[in-house]
């Protein structure tokens, strides 16, 4: 899922889970102080339910703007090759 191509993107939902796999009651934006449209990398188990990608996130990494742009360029270069 990449917000840089929103017109073609499906919906993705990230649920932060603890070590036992239980969904945390507090949302990631509250836990980490995330802002709308902030670039993050989410690691965890993903499943698709209909057109929605659901990720049980075991870690969330906040990216600096330059790092997010660099990562997006590298991903798109691999997709195009």
């Amino acid at each position: 899922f990449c917000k840089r191509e929103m017109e073609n993107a499906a919906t993705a939902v990230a649920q932060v889970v603890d070590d036992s796999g239980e969904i945390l009651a507090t949302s990631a934006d509250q836990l980490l102080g995330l802002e709308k449209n902030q670039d993050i990398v989410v690691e965890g188990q993903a499943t698709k339910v209909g057109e929605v990608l659901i990720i049980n996130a075991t870690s969330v990494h906040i990216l600096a703007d330059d790092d997010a742009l660099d990562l997006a360029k590298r991903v798109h270069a691999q997709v195009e090759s």
Side-chain angles (χ1 to χ4, degrees):
F1 177 79
C2 180
K3 76 171 181 90
R4 295 181 191 286
E5 296 186 17
M6 285 299 275
E7 71 243 11
N8 299 322
T11 300
V13 176
Q15 306 174 131
V16 181
V17 297
D18 62 18
D19 290 339
S20 67
E22 293 294 316
I23 299 170
L24 298 181
T26 306
S27 67
D29 36 343
Q30 290 175 331
L31 283 172
L32 302 171
L34 299 177
E35 298 175 9
K36 184 175 180 162
N37 294 322
Q38 190 167 16
D39 293 302
I40 61 173
V41 173
V42 178
E43 293 182 73
Q45 286 285 95
T47 57
K48 190 173 179 186
V49 178
E51 293 299 314
V52 178
L53 178 67
I54 299 175
I55 305 163
N56 284 340
T58 54
S59 65
V60 178
H61 307 275
I62 301 169
L63 298 176
D65 290 341
D66 290 343
D67 293 335
L69 183 57
D70 181 54
L71 177 61
K73 286 178 182 177
R74 287 187 288 143
V75 167
H76 289 285
Q78 284 186 343
V79 170
E80 291 174 358
S81 58

